[in-house]
Amino acid sequence: MKPINEMKLKFESRSVNEAFGRSAVAAFAAQLDPNIEEISDIKTAVSEAVTNCIVHAYKDTVGTIYIWTSLYADGLVRIRIRDYGCGIENISQAMEPLFTTLGGERAGLGFAVMEGFCDKVRVRSKVGKGTVVTLEKRIKGRDSDD
Amino acid sequence: MAVRIVHSPMRLTVSVSGEIDHHNAAVIRYETDEAIQSSLAPCVRIDFGDVTFMDSSGIGFVMGRYRIVDSYGGCVEVVNLKERIFSMMKLAGLDKYVTLRKKEKGKKNETNK
Ligand SMILES: Nc1ncnc2c1ncn2[C@@H]1O[C@H](COP(=O)(O)OP(=O)(O)OP(=O)(O)O)[C@@H](O)[C@H]1O
Ligand SMILES: [Mg+2]
């Protein structure tokens, strides 16, 4: 299926850009007329993926974060978040709730939150090359009940 | 993004407002921990009534404060939680460690007595 609209973003992995990343995607997806819950779901999931690029992928350096968002006529939003950072050695382990390689104040819940708020989450990664997280969410819209 | 602190003999109240993400959590954490260090009150109440957004950084923030307060035998309660944030915290299992209270409709923030 062909998207009805697409946008591409590219920004530096500075923590101050977390709010920009999630708000930009949410503003673009607003064309599909999502309800408030659905907007919050998108914002939260994107925030998790972008934060992971900043705190894990590019740990002590500043790299580039890419976000592609595609909208489809049937209400599907597909968001791809890519980094050229350290990559993930064991993806299924990384996606387990409470698993974290950072400790401290990280809860290890980022992927669990993405999965909770999206219909589908897919991760591709290569150590030393980077990671692509694909989020998919179907917007039911403001006319629906939830 | 702001943190408001109210001290009373038995309770320290920390009211957080705005969006809690990894970026903002650093300042919120710093100010909260300063207040906890300078207080002898056994109970820390974190008021989420004016929080408009939270990702997993908010869970980490509450868990981190619990660890500090628990180390001296104090307790933590998180109040005025909006439905969405309440269910995220519940899902994360925070209710095993801290008291979670939802926002009551039509009621202003509880006074700190
Ligand atoms: N873009 C990424 N690049 C490299 N490693 C990543 C990336 N995203 C996630 N990871 C790895 O996967 C683990 C789990 O990620 P997840 O977001 O679930 O938890 P967290 O970031 O550690 O904690 P939280 O998101 O709760 O603050 C991370 O600790 C990290 O090791
Ligand atoms: Mg994370």
Side-chain angles (χ1 to χ4, degrees):
Chain A
M1 210 184 8
K2 256 188 66 167
I4 51 170
N5 200 356
E6 282 186 306
M7 72 93 151
K8 294 181 183 180
L9 268 182
K10 180 180 164 187
F11 56 93
E12 291 187 348
S13 66
R14 302 181 189 278
S15 67
V16 69
N17 290 333
E18 287 159 11
F20 167 73
R22 63 174 178 265
S23 306
V25 174
F28 184 69
Q31 296 166 34
L32 291 177
D33 211 19
N35 60 39
I36 292 169
E37 253 334 90
E38 291 167 332
I39 292 178
S40 301
D41 292 349
I42 290 174
K43 269 195 187 170
T44 313
V46 172
S47 192
E48 296 296 350
V50 168
T51 302
N52 281 349
C53 299
I54 294 166
V55 304
H56 302 298
Y58 295 122
K59 217 165 285 174
D60 301 315
T61 57
V62 174
T64 307
I65 299 172
Y66 298 80
I67 304 183
W68 292 7
T69 307
S70 311
L71 308 180
Y72 294 85
D74 63 351
L76 181 74
V77 183
R78 181 177 292 130
I79 307 155
R80 295 189 203 277
I81 297 118
R82 136 133 249 197
D83 65 66
Y84 285 85
C86 67
I88 301 174
E89 232 178 75
N90 183 336
I91 296 175
S92 51
Q93 182 186 43
M95 293 180 79
E96 271 170 35
L98 304 182
F99 178 86
T100 177
T101 49
L102 265 190
E105 297 265 297
R106 310 254 56 96
L109 286 170
F111 280 121
V113 166
M114 290 183 240
E115 293 194 305
F117 290 142
C118 298
D119 297 309
K120 211 183 223 176
V121 178
R122 283 170 298 179
V123 181
R124 290 191 71 205
S125 189
K126 279 217 166 71
V127 172
K129 291 209 158 150
T131 302
V132 189
V133 173
T134 304
L135 306 171
E136 284 184 12
K137 178 151 186 87
R138 201 165 296 273
I139 300 298
K140 299 195 188 80
R142 242 180 286 182
D143 302 330
S144 76
D145 271 338
D146 63 0
Chain B
M1 180 50 54
V3 178
R4 223 176 48 247
I5 310 281
V6 178
H7 289 277
S8 80
M10 298 303 273
R11 182 155 65 209
L12 168 73
T13 303
V14 179
S15 305
V16 183
S17 60
E19 309 200 322
I20 306 183
D21 59 13
H22 155 258
H23 179 73
N24 293 331
V27 181
I28 300 170
R29 181 168 55 231
Y30 179 79
E31 293 189 11
T32 304
D33 288 353
E34 287 255 290
I36 291 174
Q37 296 309 328
S38 68
S39 162
L40 285 176
C43 176
V44 176
R45 171 181 282 175
I46 308 176
D47 190 329
F48 264 60
D50 294 323
V51 171
T52 51
F53 172 87
M54 184 194 90
D55 64 18
S56 64
S57 309
I59 312 278
F61 167 72
V62 172
M63 206 51 217
R65 307 300 63 71
Y66 163 74
R67 286 201 194 101
I68 293 171
V69 175
D70 184 62
S71 73
Y72 57 76
C75 61
V76 174
E77 51 178 23
V78 189
V79 304
N80 283 318
L81 292 164
K82 286 167 188 143
E83 195 60 55
R84 181 186 181 83
I85 298 180
F86 176 80
S87 51
M88 280 177 77
M89 289 189 176
K90 209 72 203 261
L91 226 81
L94 277 184
D95 55 331
K96 279 183 242 143
Y97 308 100
V98 306
T99 306
L100 301 179
R101 272 195 276 128
K102 281 195 222 182
K103 191 167 197 144
E104 287 172 54
K105 283 197 189 86
K107 220 174 165 185
K108 259 312 247 181
N109 295 352
E110 279 175 70
T111 52
N112 181 57
K113 271 236 178 88

